[in-house]
Amino acid sequence: MDANQSPDPLPKDQPPQPLEGPVQPQRVSAPASQPRAASVRSDSSHRQPLASAIQPMRTTSASSTRGSKRRGQVLTNDFAAWEWGLLNLARATTIAAFIYTCWRFGGTDVIVWYHVAAMLAASLVMSAIVWRKSRRQQPLPVPALLFGVICVTVPMLQTIELPREVINWIAPGTERVIREFSSPAINQLELAIHPLQGDGELASSASSNHSATISIVPSSSHTRLALWQLGFVFFAISTTLFFTRESRKVLAWTLAINAAGLAFWGLVQRSSGSSDLLPGMTKDVVTLPFSTFVYKNAGAAALIPGLAAIIGLIGIQRQSPTGIRKSTRESRGIDSYRPRPRWTDPRFLLLLCFVGLLAAGLLASSSRGVWISGAVAGLALFITVPSRFSGKTLFAAVFIAGCCIGLIALTGLRNELAKQSQRLNIDQVSTDARFTHWRDGIDTAIAHLPFGSGLGTFGYAHLPQQENDTEQWFREAHNQYLEILVETGVFGVIAIAVVILLLGRSAIFLIRKSASQEHFSWGIIGLFSLASIVTQSFVDFVVLIPGVMFTQAILLGCMAAVYTRDLSLSKVLHRRSGQLSAQKVSESKLGDLASTPLRDRMLQVSNRPLTWCFVSSVVVLFAFIATDKKLQTENALANTQFSSEDYEPSPEEIDFNLLLLSDAIERDPKRWELYRRRSLWHLAEYRLGLLAKSSADESSLTWSQTSLDNLFQSLYSLTQSDRDGLIHNVLVDPKLRDSLALAIADQENTLQFNPLSPNTYLSCAMLTPLLQRDTAMWEERIAKLSHSSRGLQYAGGMVAYFAGNRDNMVDQWRRSLKFGDDYYPAVLQLAGRKLSLEEFLNEIIPAERNDLAVRFVSEAGDFTVNQHTLRRLRDQVLMRIQSDSSRDEAEKMELSARVEESGKNWGEAATYWSLALRLQPHNLDYRYYHCRALYHDDQLKEALDQATLLRALEPATERSEKTIEAIKKRIEADARKSVH
């Protein structure tokens, strides 16, 4: 007997092999007389170790039962009909959970997590009811499941309160953050509260300096951990529920159809050929593709598991040596026949259409990360299974390409795709903001070794490590491996490496060594999906989007279960057929001798689905509790939100909102957002008290005048003695003192549970005049934590402006103008009181913002009438433009022309526009502005020539016609003047 012959398949899991035909090198059918694994009973004369006695779960149908009876074998059903119905309902509930997640904004809302946790709990309960009396074991990926349990429980240690001495030893990065940021700030607030508390009855400050958690923001860690726990439950439940071939096929078809629906909707949203989304549906707003996901890259990534499932369903088969199928009628004496070509099968054509639709959807997504990851996944398949592709692959590729071209043409995406493909060049990629954050992330990871900063804390943890300003705040690292390293330290790196290794090994085993076509297809599915998500995780965080995470988890969990089933079946049949080498036999005997009742019992328990139903139920319970707390927090924050800055609440409304927030804090005492919101309502209470006091004193004071920033500016506009006297008179009222003390106490609690909240430091800085404290410490922290926020930089500069700190003011305002000019008018108005125009140009306007310098010099005439000063400013701007290495020559000429236009130097402006046109002759805007400069410089003939050429180049616009008409009128008027 051939040592490489394939094991005889079990019913409903491996297709029966033909009993005739030549022997294949890799798959040799077992003789018909060889006993089937399904017929070997536990009382067999063969003594077997426990591991070989574990049989994969199987189902039987009427036809297989009849066949077994003909062979003299008796097969029993494992479950009653109602139990099968309950199992199918559990499967349907699980499938509905991840579909619901995909179509509701990718599952980013916590309410979706809450619903999904409830649906998974229901599935587990139904599964447990079915498995409660069954002692049948089935091969489960026990190592992967155990490791998953460890991965979703160990991070819980990051949220446990520990003494500061222990934190300093095991988490020096967290201790450093507390020591440098929150502890000094809390000490300052406690010193400020003490005079306000009087007899000490209002002492409600945080007991902050004695204990802490490894996580710098424990509430964020709880929330992120709940997401990972739900992902694990999807993985675990898929290993126990989808144990039959039919159920796995249904799952694969569901993934395919769901992905096809997402792709279709993405194409509809991306279509730009008309004002209609679909006939009768007006396209009122421009929408990104996959708006069912809040992040388009995640929507594109959600198509990959569906694409993988379709590839598996197509069934890249091991090629038959004859290429001829045998009819079932052959046994009745009817000649065999050659079946119709596979490509004529309607299901095969439908799957190819799905592949074309998904490929078009991936192109329309404009996600560079998905494009690259899809290419890498395809390359991984080609390298792993090069011999499995037949000549039909070319036909499939041509068909899919035709579908893509047709869909792209119908949706008008050709220009958009050409534009997005240009972003793949090295210049565009090298300037991506991700790389700046990656450098900061590496510094953060080193600072928080060995246990990390806490799950879900990257957005705050990297703020102290930032040295360069960025245009936007990165809540995630856009590199999942770097984010895991920052948040979980060494443990996270080891965990992610082990997970990838285990899953990759399972997929490659199924592809290269499985004798079952269905198992081989699941290896294809798992490898393609895993390779794609592993690749994209280098440049994105799509795995943290629940819709992507849950879909990948259920697919990879099913693949892992198939691998374990295939491996167990292979071991059982090889041992029974006596095809072990002498060395392996001796090793197995040694293993049998080492077997103990306890070890056998543990193996039995670990391979029972009921065990993992129970474990998954515990995990989903933790996730449900954390999600429920987060949901209640969000509801409390939504119900206590201020309708607008000018809205003046009533005392009853303030009391009601304070009660809501206090109840929410009692349920979740580590949620820093609740303390911050309650602090704002205590400040609202304080402001109402100010209004009441001013009304009693017959002084006019409005609600808007009592805002923190207005109070800050008003108090700092007074002399020190007047300010102290006013504060003393105001704070005589006990109610005002109590409200202010409670607000400050909540700010303390906010800093205790999030020591890196920039807005909290800004609020405390605004309170410093009321507390009669210095702003220097608060300015320093605002400057350190505001590298990614122009609003915070502007506010920090305003604090420094009123506090008289010129250097901080200049630094903060210059940074606030680096990536935008939203705050330019306000900065110009305030800075103009302390800086000259030249100082503002050289110190406030960033060197890389010469476009803003041009705007400044154009508006400088509103601040001075000194022409010599204006000329000097223009010369300085021209020198800045010429030395700007970040711009090309055409842009420099354009900016220089605008500078000359601001001084009405039309001749010089026309010269610069002419130089810009030589560099970019097809730029119609340059030609128009050149024409306008010539017109104002009285070079009418040249202006008319340029306008005529412009009309020829853009006949559909009106500006050329209007320009020609104006020039001709000017020429005629000059002609009449010359005649007279």
Side-chain angles (χ1 to χ4, degrees):
M1 183 177 294
D2 191 348
N4 291 324
Q5 77 173 64
S6 61
D8 196 19
L10 293 176
K12 308 299 285 183
D13 277 288
Q14 302 181 35
Q17 302 299 319
L19 299 179
E20 300 179 11
V23 177
Q24 301 179 35
Q26 296 297 325
R27 299 182 63 191
V28 180
S29 302
S33 61
Q34 180 176 337
R36 297 178 65 88
S39 63
V40 179
R41 304 182 60 83
S42 58
D43 56 354
S44 172
S45 60
H46 299 282
R47 179 178 178 85
Q48 303 173 27
L50 179 65
S52 64
I54 299 175
Q55 299 186 26
M57 180 56 61
R58 59 191 182 275
T59 60
T60 57
S61 61
S63 59
S64 62
T65 303
R66 289 193 298 270
S68 300
K69 289 180 178 180
R70 286 195 298 268
R71 294 189 296 268
Q73 300 171 2
V74 179
L75 296 178
T76 59
N77 245 333
D78 296 309
F79 305 114
W82 69 270
E83 291 175 322
W84 279 116
L86 204 57
L87 272 180
N88 290 331
L89 183 58
R91 292 165 178 161
T93 305
T94 305
I95 290 174
F98 82 80
I99 293 178
Y100 166 67
T101 306
C102 289
W103 286 91
R104 185 162 177 176
F105 303 109
T108 51
D109 293 337
V110 179
I111 185 65
V112 179
W113 304 7
Y114 185 81
H115 293 160
V116 167
M119 296 169 77
L120 291 178
S123 296
L124 290 169
V125 169
M126 288 185 281
S127 302
I129 292 174
V130 175
W131 295 110
R132 72 193 188 284
K133 293 182 179 179
S134 174
R135 292 188 174 272
R136 177 169 295 280
Q137 304 168 33
Q138 67 181 75
L140 295 174
V142 175
L145 291 171
L146 286 174
F147 189 74
V149 172
I150 295 173
C151 290
V152 298
T153 53
V154 169
M156 296 176 68
L157 301 176
Q158 294 180 319
T159 61
I160 296 176
E161 290 274 353
L162 298 172
R164 287 281 296 277
E165 294 78 9
V166 178
I167 294 295
N168 187 35
W169 181 61
I170 65 175
T174 300
E175 173 62 23
R176 189 179 306 111
V177 167
I178 296 173
R179 185 174 62 251
E180 295 180 2
F181 286 89
S182 60
S183 285
I186 290 175
N187 290 336
Q188 286 282 336
L189 293 176
E190 287 179 346
L191 292 175
I193 281 182
H194 185 68
L196 299 174
Q197 289 179 334
D199 298 332
E201 296 177 356
L202 299 174
S204 60
S205 60
S207 56
S208 60
N209 294 323
H210 304 293
S211 63
T213 60
I214 296 176
S215 173
I216 59 174
V217 189
S219 60
S220 297
S221 298
H222 279 298
T223 303
R224 179 60 57 80
L225 182 58
L227 176 62
W228 285 107
Q229 288 170 337
L230 290 176
F232 166 77
V233 173
F234 268 106
F235 180 90
I237 204 171
S238 65
T239 64
T240 57
L241 274 182
F242 300 95
F243 55 83
T244 64
R245 182 177 184 178
E246 288 80 2
S247 62
R248 291 192 292 268
K249 184 181 293 186
V250 169
L251 175 62
W253 273 102
T254 303
L255 288 167
I257 295 172
N258 181 64
L262 289 172
F264 173 76
W265 183 236
L267 287 169
V268 168
Q269 291 175 301
R270 181 60 101 178
S271 63
S272 55
S274 67
S275 60
D276 292 338
L277 281 172
L278 291 173
M281 294 176 58
T282 303
K283 185 176 182 178
D284 297 324
V285 294
V286 177
T287 56
L288 290 174
F290 310 109
S291 66
T292 48
F293 284 76
V294 294
Y295 186 41
K296 69 179 181 64
N297 289 0
L303 301 185
I304 295 296
L307 183 59
I310 293 173
I311 295 174
L313 287 169
I314 289 176
I316 304 175
Q317 296 185 4
R318 301 177 180 181
Q319 209 166 9
S320 169
T322 61
I324 301 176
R325 296 180 181 176
K326 301 292 183 179
S327 170
T328 55
R329 300 180 183 181
E330 187 176 6
S331 59
R332 303 177 187 177
I334 300 178
D335 293 338
S336 63
Y337 67 94
R338 189 178 301 273
R340 64 181 181 181
R342 180 178 176 81
W343 61 268
T344 61
D345 186 352
R347 286 180 297 180
F348 179 75
L349 292 176
L350 176 62
L351 290 171
L352 283 184
C353 290
F354 276 0
V355 173
L357 178 61
L358 264 62
L362 291 172
L363 290 174
S365 70
S366 302
S367 173
R368 295 172 293 174
V370 171
W371 293 351
I372 295 173
S373 65
V376 170
L379 181 62
L381 282 187
F382 183 78
I383 293 174
T384 309
V385 287
S387 61
R388 308 295 174 86
F389 294 93
S390 63
K392 298 176 183 177
T393 306
L394 178 62
F395 163 76
V398 172
F399 183 84
I400 293 167
C403 291
C404 290
I405 294 172
L407 288 170
I408 290 170
L410 287 174
T411 53
L413 292 174
R414 184 175 61 85
N415 295 333
E416 178 68 22
L417 290 178
K419 177 181 176 182
Q420 293 297 330
S421 62
Q422 294 175 359
R423 298 176 60 199
L424 291 173
N425 66 65
I426 190 64
D427 293 332
Q428 290 281 344
V429 173
S430 62
T431 57
D432 197 290
R434 286 176 172 87
F435 298 117
T436 300
H437 282 279
W438 289 358
R439 288 192 292 268
D440 298 333
I442 292 172
D443 294 338
T444 307
I446 295 173
H448 284 276
L449 287 175
F451 293 105
S453 62
L455 275 178
T457 62
F458 177 86
Y460 290 104
H462 81 283
L463 293 180
Q465 305 299 327
Q466 280 189 287
E467 296 182 357
N468 300 314
D469 295 321
T470 56
E471 190 170 1
Q472 52 187 209
W473 177 52
F474 272 33
R475 186 186 60 191
E476 315 294 345
H478 286 261
N479 182 322
Q480 197 56 49
Y481 308 104
L482 177 59
E483 185 165 338
I484 288 292
L485 178 61
V486 170
E487 295 180 352
T488 58
V490 177
F491 167 78
V493 174
I494 296 174
I496 198 72
V498 171
V499 167
I500 294 174
L501 181 63
L502 288 176
L503 294 175
R505 186 189 67 173
S506 302
I508 293 174
F509 176 91
L510 291 174
I511 292 172
R512 291 192 176 275
K513 297 184 178 180
S514 176
S516 165
Q517 174 59 41
E518 193 240 352
H519 291 184
F520 166 77
S521 296
W522 272 100
I524 292 285
I525 293 173
L527 181 62
F528 188 88
S529 185
L530 181 66
S532 176
I533 197 65
V534 166
T535 303
Q536 192 174 2
S537 293
F538 278 103
V539 294
D540 222 328
F541 60 96
V542 293
V543 74
L544 295 180
I545 304 299
V548 178
M549 176 186 288
F550 297 164
T551 306
Q552 291 280 358
I554 197 171
L555 185 148
L556 294 174
C558 195
M559 185 271 294
V562 169
Y563 160 74
T564 310
R565 175 185 180 83
D566 193 282
L567 184 64
S568 175
L569 178 62
S570 176
K571 289 180 179 179
V572 169
L573 296 182
H574 275 72
R575 285 173 177 172
R576 290 175 182 172
S577 59
Q579 295 182 22
L580 287 175
S581 64
Q583 180 181 358
K584 291 184 178 180
V585 170
S586 62
E587 290 177 356
S588 69
K589 289 182 178 179
L590 289 174
D592 292 342
L593 293 174
S595 178
T596 63
L598 178 61
R599 179 174 176 270
D600 291 349
R601 182 61 180 167
M602 290 178 63
L603 285 174
Q604 288 178 359
V605 171
S606 63
N607 280 281
R608 289 185 61 187
L610 184 61
T611 302
W612 292 104
C613 286
F614 174 75
V615 173
S616 299
S617 299
V618 175
V619 174
V620 83
L621 178 62
F622 280 118
F624 186 83
I625 293 172
T627 304
D628 180 61
K629 289 183 177 180
K630 176 64 174 175
L631 185 60
Q632 292 186 25
T633 297
E634 289 193 349
N635 290 335
L637 294 175
N639 293 329
T640 58
Q641 188 173 5
F642 287 90
S643 57
S644 67
E645 293 183 359
D646 298 329
Y647 175 70
E648 180 180 348
S650 63
E652 294 78 13
E653 186 176 357
I654 292 176
D655 292 339
F656 177 74
N657 284 298
L658 288 174
L659 181 61
L660 284 180
L661 290 167
S662 297
D663 291 341
I665 289 173
E666 186 177 354
R667 289 190 297 267
D668 194 358
K670 293 185 179 180
R671 190 70 63 174
W672 67 273
E673 301 99 322
L674 294 173
Y675 292 106
R676 175 163 172 75
R677 179 61 58 81
R678 191 171 68 175
S679 174
L680 296 178
W681 280 103
H682 280 307
L683 287 174
E685 187 178 37
Y686 171 78
R687 293 169 65 184
L688 275 185
L690 280 181
L691 291 178
K693 186 170 180 59
S694 67
S695 177
D697 295 341
E698 297 182 354
S699 59
S700 58
L701 192 64
T702 63
W703 173 259
S704 60
Q705 291 175 331
T706 62
S707 64
L708 273 185
D709 53 346
N710 284 331
L711 283 175
F712 179 83
Q713 297 179 35
S714 300
L715 290 173
Y716 264 108
S717 64
L718 301 175
T719 63
Q720 185 67 44
S721 57
D722 291 343
R723 186 191 314 160
D724 294 340
L726 179 61
I727 292 173
H728 177 73
N729 293 331
V730 168
L731 294 182
V732 168
D733 190 338
K735 187 174 182 180
L736 290 178
R737 288 206 314 267
D738 293 348
S739 299
L740 187 58
L742 289 171
I744 296 171
D746 280 336
Q747 297 284 13
E748 287 186 43
N749 286 297
T750 303
L751 291 175
Q752 180 189 1
F753 297 116
N754 186 355
L756 297 175
S757 170
N759 286 303
T760 305
Y761 290 103
L762 176 61
S763 299
C764 292
M766 293 292 184
L767 289 170
T768 51
L770 284 173
L771 304 177
Q772 298 177 307
R773 296 287 166 178
D774 186 59
T775 62
M777 183 192 69
W778 308 105
E779 291 177 43
E780 179 186 353
R781 280 151 180 75
I782 294 170
K784 187 68 174 176
L785 300 177
S786 62
H787 285 283
S788 300
S789 172
R790 296 195 298 272
L792 281 170
Q793 289 163 352
Y794 166 73
M798 189 181 68
V799 171
Y801 169 84
F802 284 102
N805 192 331
R806 185 183 187 277
D807 293 339
N808 279 350
M809 175 196 76
V810 170
D811 177 67
Q812 290 285 81
W813 280 347
R814 183 180 64 251
R815 290 163 53 192
S816 71
L817 299 177
K818 188 173 182 180
F819 294 105
D821 50 4
D822 303 348
Y823 300 97
Y824 170 75
V827 170
L828 182 60
Q829 181 182 3
L830 291 174
R833 302 174 186 176
K834 292 192 175 184
L835 303 177
S836 66
L837 293 178
E838 291 185 64
E839 288 175 332
F840 186 90
L841 174 63
N842 296 322
E843 298 182 30
I844 298 293
I845 296 180
E848 56 269 34
R849 289 300 310 276
N850 283 319
D851 56 327
L852 192 59
V854 172
R855 175 180 174 181
F856 168 72
V857 79
S858 302
E859 298 173 353
D862 298 336
F863 301 95
T864 180
V865 294
N866 190 325
Q867 294 301 316
H868 178 70
T869 301
L870 293 177
R871 181 69 257 181
R872 189 168 62 250
L873 288 174
R874 287 195 293 270
D875 291 342
Q876 291 180 10
V877 173
L878 288 173
M879 291 178 60
R880 286 177 51 143
I881 292 172
Q882 295 305 318
S883 61
D884 188 354
S885 60
S886 64
R887 299 180 184 274
D888 58 32
E889 288 299 319
E891 290 178 317
K892 292 180 180 180
M893 296 302 105
E894 175 190 357
L895 293 176
S896 300
R898 295 191 182 280
V899 171
E900 295 296 352
E901 287 180 352
S902 67
K904 307 300 181 183
N905 300 320
W906 295 107
E908 290 82 352
T911 302
Y912 282 122
W913 286 121
S914 178
L915 293 173
L917 267 176
R918 291 180 186 178
L919 296 169
Q920 294 186 9
H922 299 292
N923 192 314
L924 300 182
D925 290 332
Y926 286 178
R927 193 169 299 279
Y928 170 75
Y929 291 124
H930 182 215
C931 177
R932 187 182 66 174
L934 292 171
Y935 173 81
H936 286 292
D937 195 42
D938 294 332
Q939 302 181 47
L940 299 181
K941 185 176 183 304
E942 291 82 356
L944 183 60
D945 292 341
Q946 292 294 330
T948 304
L949 181 57
L950 180 65
R951 181 176 61 181
L953 293 174
E954 52 172 15
T957 60
E958 297 181 358
R959 63 178 180 178
S960 57
E961 290 291 344
K962 292 181 179 180
T963 303
I964 291 174
E965 183 180 352
I967 295 172
K968 287 182 177 179
K969 287 182 179 180
R970 179 83 176 274
I971 293 175
E972 293 174 359
D974 290 347
R976 285 195 296 270
K977 287 181 181 180
S978 63
V979 171
H980 294 294

